[in-house]
């Protein structure tokens, strides 16, 4: 029988997870029931993807705003603190700002403009373009900002984020700048709140004479008064749980994926891979927002998911090598061509258009799109056939 289906991604419904639940057993049972109830045949290199939220919830990896505030005061001793380049997000940052404000320090909240790191706009970029402001040099206060932006509200949330952040942290001033070094004029202590640019920004600040420069991954990188923590990412990857508590990015993920993999392989007798995934690495073309507000797509995965794909471009081969053949001949020739492709394809013309991203970034993005972020109730995703190509039948 000719194979028609290539890759497929299946969202699996799971129970509601709480602290202390045996997540390995729950995920295993969910995959097992899915295969039995829906007649799914498990194959070698199938991938079971588990959202980071499930892992963190089962671990109970949470922290209160009081615990965060205490760590802020442990690590910053002066009375004023720069909060540099936070993203504009009620889910991701508003709760962290509430905790930082609880430290009692005067805060200098420095926002990049016209947008934050992941593409949330503070103003209409054409209003900025038509002004006499140089965004590469000019530092704006709130009044100067309002002259350009007015009461601009976020496209999706309807929020005026400068107003929201000022309400959350009354003992604060808002500044708008794009050169991180300019923030040093407001305070010696700087908490770098950007996600993917944090390391280069910290380097810039230190080379400019900054003394106590930390980033969000260095806050709650160890427990405070019994809190959760993440030694690698600290507060990065966290989001709002309740009005006074955050859920942190999961820790000890390697142990979880390896133990779950052993259970799956033992039961199905197939080489099944496992990964934990968070935000996908894709950008919304309408809202212009980059989805990846986590520090990494996959914090843990099994060994079979390392590396990047090695593929040739079917369209390129069809246009350049098979144009004069019949449809049957083209299909047969393509299957033969792919089955004999070289192991090393870097720089070859037949790879044009096949950007070699990390396998876990690709799979995690597919899983994130499949599970969604709302009420689908499918925090476990089974991906099949991803490592197959056109020659596999």
């Amino acid at each position: 029988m000719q194979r028609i289906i290539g890759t497929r991604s299946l969202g699996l419904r799971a129970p509601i997870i709480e602290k202390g639940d045996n997540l390995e057993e729950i995920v295993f049972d969910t995959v097992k029931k899915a295969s039995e109830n829906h007649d799914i045949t498990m194959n070698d290199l199938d991938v079971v993807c588990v959202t980071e939220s499930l892992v963190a919830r089962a671990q109970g990896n949470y922290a209160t705003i009081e615990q965060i505030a205490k760590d802020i005061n442990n690590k910053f001793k002066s009375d004023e603190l720069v909060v540099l380049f936070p993203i504009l997000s009620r889910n991701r940052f508003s709760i962290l700002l509430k905790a930082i404000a609880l430290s009692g320090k005067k805060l200098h909240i420095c926002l990049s403009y016209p947008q934050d790191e992941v593409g949330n706009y503070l103003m209409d970029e054409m209003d900025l373009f038509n002004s006499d402001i140089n965004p590469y040099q000019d530092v704006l206060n709130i009044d100067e900002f309002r002259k350009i932006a007015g009461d601009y509200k976020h496209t999706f949330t309807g929020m005026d984020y400068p107003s929201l952040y000022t309400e959350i942290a009354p003992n604060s001033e808002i500044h708008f700048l794009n050169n991180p070094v300019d923030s040093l004029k407001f305070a010696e202590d700087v908490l770098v709140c950007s996600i993917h640019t944090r390391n280069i920004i910290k380097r810039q600040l230190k080379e400019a004479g900054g003394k106590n420069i930390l980033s969000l991954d260095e806050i709650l990188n160890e427990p405070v008064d019994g809190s959760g923590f993440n030694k690698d990412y600290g507060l990065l990857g966290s989001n709002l749980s309740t009005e006074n508590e955050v859920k942190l990015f999961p820790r000890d993920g390697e142990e979880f994926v390896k133990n779950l993999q052993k259970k799956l392989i033992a039961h199905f007798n197939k080489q099944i891979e496992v990964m934990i995934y968070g935000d996908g690495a894709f950008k919304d073309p309408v809202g212009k927002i980059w989805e990846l507000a986590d520090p990494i797509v996959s914090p843990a995965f099994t060994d079979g998911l390392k590396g990047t794909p090695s593929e040739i471009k079917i369209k390129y081969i069809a246009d350049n090598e098979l144009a004069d053949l019949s449809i049957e001949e083209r299909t047969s020739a393509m299957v033969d061509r792919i089955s004999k492709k070289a192991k090393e394809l870097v720089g070859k013309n037949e790879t044009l258009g096949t950007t070699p991203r990390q396998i876990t970034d690709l799979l995690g993005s597919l899983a994130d799109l499949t599970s969604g972020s709302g009420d689908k109730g499918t925090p476990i995703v089974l991906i099949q056939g991803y490592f197959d190509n056109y020659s596999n039948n």
Side-chain angles (χ1 to χ4, degrees), residues 23 59 147 329 335 355 359 372 389:
L23 190 60
Q59 292 174 342
K147 287 179 182 178
E329 290 171 331
V335 168
T355 307
I359 290 170
N389 59 43

Side-chain angles (χ1 to χ4, degrees), residues 90-145:
R90 291 173 297 171
N91 177 46
R92 291 287 188 173
F93 192 73
S94 67
I95 184 70
L96 300 186
L97 181 58
K98 186 176 181 180
I100 297 167
L102 196 62
S103 69
K105 301 178 185 298
K106 179 175 180 179
L107 305 182
H108 295 272
I109 304 171
C110 297
L111 303 177
S112 59
Y113 69 98
Q115 64 189 42
D116 71 5
E117 179 188 16
V118 295
N120 293 294
Y121 277 84
L122 280 166
M123 59 171 67
D124 188 310
E125 56 186 335
M126 284 306 297
D127 288 341
L128 177 61
F129 179 80
N130 290 324
S131 74
D132 59 358
I133 297 298
N134 182 345
Y136 300 102
Q137 295 181 353
D138 294 343
V139 178
L140 309 180
N141 61 33
I142 188 64
D143 293 331
E144 293 166 330
F145 169 80

Side-chain angles (χ1 to χ4, degrees), residues 243-293:
E243 290 304 310
N244 294 301
E245 190 174 49
V246 300
K247 179 198 68 61
L248 302 173
F249 216 41
R251 60 180 189 267
D252 304 324
E254 294 295 335
E255 180 181 358
F256 171 79
V257 296
K258 289 177 180 178
N259 289 343
L260 178 56
Q261 182 186 47
K262 289 178 183 177
K263 286 179 179 289
L264 293 167
I265 291 175
H267 179 78
F268 292 105
N269 197 29
K270 298 293 181 181
Q271 184 60 39
I272 297 170
E273 303 296 337
V274 178
M275 66 179 287
I276 299 170
Y277 70 96
D279 284 343
F282 51 86
K283 184 175 182 178
D284 174 8
V286 176
K288 302 178 183 179
I289 298 170
W290 191 23
E291 174 67 15
L292 187 57

Side-chain angles (χ1 to χ4, degrees), residues 8-27:
R8 64 177 181 174
S9 180
L10 305 171
L12 307 186
R13 293 182 175 181
I16 305 302
I17 301 301
E18 294 295 345
K19 178 181 179 179
D21 288 343
N22 187 337
L23 190 60
E24 293 170 15
E25 198 61 39
I26 290 170
V27 175

Side-chain angles (χ1 to χ4, degrees), residues 55-351:
V55 182
R57 288 174 65 85
Q59 292 174 342
N61 204 23
Y62 292 82
T64 66
I65 59 174
E66 291 82 7
Q67 290 164 334
I68 297 171
K70 184 172 183 178
D71 207 27
I72 292 290
N73 280 326
N74 287 342
K75 292 171 178 174
F76 295 105
K77 299 304 182 183
S78 64
D79 294 331
E80 298 191 42
L81 175 66
V82 170
V83 178
L84 182 60
F85 295 160
I87 65 171
L88 307 177
S89 172
R90 291 173 297 171
N91 177 46
R92 291 287 188 173
F93 192 73
S94 67
I95 184 70
L96 300 186
L97 181 58
K98 186 176 181 180
I100 297 167
L102 196 62
S103 69
K105 301 178 185 298
K106 179 175 180 179
L107 305 182
H108 295 272
I109 304 171
C110 297
L111 303 177
S112 59
Y113 69 98
Q115 64 189 42
D116 71 5
E117 179 188 16
V118 295
N120 293 294
Y121 277 84
L122 280 166
M123 59 171 67
D124 188 310
E125 56 186 335
M126 284 306 297
D127 288 341
L128 177 61
F129 179 80
N130 290 324
S131 74
D132 59 358
I133 297 298
N134 182 345
Y136 300 102
Q137 295 181 353
D138 294 343
V139 178
L140 309 180
N141 61 33
I142 188 64
D143 293 331
E144 293 166 330
F145 169 80
R146 290 296 183 197
K147 287 179 182 178
I148 305 168
D151 61 350
Y152 181 89
K153 292 180 173 57
H154 191 278
T155 304
F156 292 148
T157 67
M159 298 302 301
D160 177 337
Y161 279 99
S163 294
L164 174 65
Y165 283 2
T166 303
E167 291 170 9
I168 292 171
N171 190 25
S172 67
E173 293 180 9
I174 299 275
H175 313 278
F176 303 86
L177 54 91
N178 289 312
N179 182 350
V181 174
D182 287 331
S183 68
L184 293 174
K185 68 180 68 172
F186 301 117
E188 295 181 350
D189 288 355
V190 180
L191 178 61
V192 178
C193 297
S194 62
I195 305 162
H196 309 293
T197 59
R198 63 189 186 276
N199 290 325
I200 186 66
I201 288 174
K202 286 167 63 179
R203 180 179 172 183
Q204 289 171 318
L205 292 172
K206 290 176 180 178
E207 290 184 358
K211 301 300 182 186
N212 193 15
I213 313 296
L214 300 177
S215 49
L216 286 177
D217 54 320
E218 296 170 283
I219 307 299
L220 281 195
N221 53 353
E222 55 186 17
V224 174
D225 293 344
S227 72
F229 69 100
N230 189 303
K231 66 180 179 64
D232 297 314
Y233 299 112
L235 289 177
L236 289 178
S238 66
N239 48 36
L240 186 147
S241 174
T242 69
E243 290 304 310
N244 294 301
E245 190 174 49
V246 300
K247 179 198 68 61
L248 302 173
F249 216 41
R251 60 180 189 267
D252 304 324
E254 294 295 335
E255 180 181 358
F256 171 79
V257 296
K258 289 177 180 178
N259 289 343
L260 178 56
Q261 182 186 47
K262 289 178 183 177
K263 286 179 179 289
L264 293 167
I265 291 175
H267 179 78
F268 292 105
N269 197 29
K270 298 293 181 181
Q271 184 60 39
I272 297 170
E273 303 296 337
V274 178
M275 66 179 287
I276 299 170
Y277 70 96
D279 284 343
F282 51 86
K283 184 175 182 178
D284 174 8
V286 176
K288 302 178 183 179
I289 298 170
W290 191 23
E291 174 67 15
L292 187 57
D294 286 327
I296 192 170
V297 174
S298 177
F301 49 88
T302 48
D303 290 344
L305 301 181
K306 294 178 180 178
T308 60
S310 180
E311 302 173 313
I312 61 175
K313 190 76 168 181
I314 286 181
K315 179 174 70 68
Y316 180 90
I317 301 300
D319 290 346
N320 287 274
E321 299 181 17
L322 310 179
D324 297 328
L325 302 179
S326 68
I327 188 169
E328 292 83 5
E329 290 171 331
R330 290 196 300 272
T331 301
S332 177
M334 186 65 75
V335 168
D336 184 65
R337 181 73 165 76
I338 293 173
S339 67
K340 295 177 180 177
K341 67 182 178 182
K343 289 184 178 181
E344 180 54 63
L345 292 170
V346 175
K348 305 281 188 180
N349 282 346
E350 59 260 43
T351 67

Side-chain angles (χ1 to χ4, degrees), residues 372-388:
S373 57
D375 58 8
K376 292 183 184 300
T378 56
I380 303 165
V381 176
L382 173 63
I383 299 175
Q384 297 190 296
Y386 190 83
F387 293 97
D388 295 343

